[in-house]
Amino acid sequence: WLLVCIFALTCLCLYFIQKAWWGIGLYTILLLVTPMVLVLIKLRKAVTPKDYHQVSTGLKFIMAAGIATMLFFLN
């Protein structure tokens, strides 16, 4: 599912950049897509409980950043 989210957000980000909404496009790339890719890499290498804790912390950051995107749509 993480790959599906990465793909969907990348497509959405390309739409944002095409419409000249640079703020939300950069926000999406830097604070959502990039951490998702890093979490996916860490998840594939995870073996110990410490590794899974780092993955969990990364996912919590992604969720908080996703919720914060609502600030862009409060016009």
Side-chain angles (χ1 to χ4, degrees), residues 24 66-75:
I24 186 124
I67 291 169
T69 59
M70 288 184 227
L71 296 174
F72 285 102
F73 300 106
L74 289 177
N75 290 337

Side-chain angles (χ1 to χ4, degrees), residues 5-22 24-29 33:
C5 286
I6 291 169
F7 178 74
L9 281 173
T10 303
C11 291
L12 193 62
C13 192
L14 292 174
Y15 174 77
F16 289 148
I17 291 173
Q18 219 174 24
K19 294 290 183 179
W21 297 339
W22 298 102
I24 186 124
L26 290 174
Y27 181 91
T28 304
I29 290 173
V33 175

Side-chain angles (χ1 to χ4, degrees), residues 43-69:
L43 185 60
R44 292 190 50 85
K45 295 180 182 179
V47 176
T48 65
K50 181 183 175 190
D51 296 334
Y52 287 107
H53 177 70
Q54 289 177 343
V55 169
S56 173
T57 303
L59 289 173
K60 289 174 187 171
F61 171 79
I62 293 166
M63 285 188 279
I67 291 169
T69 59

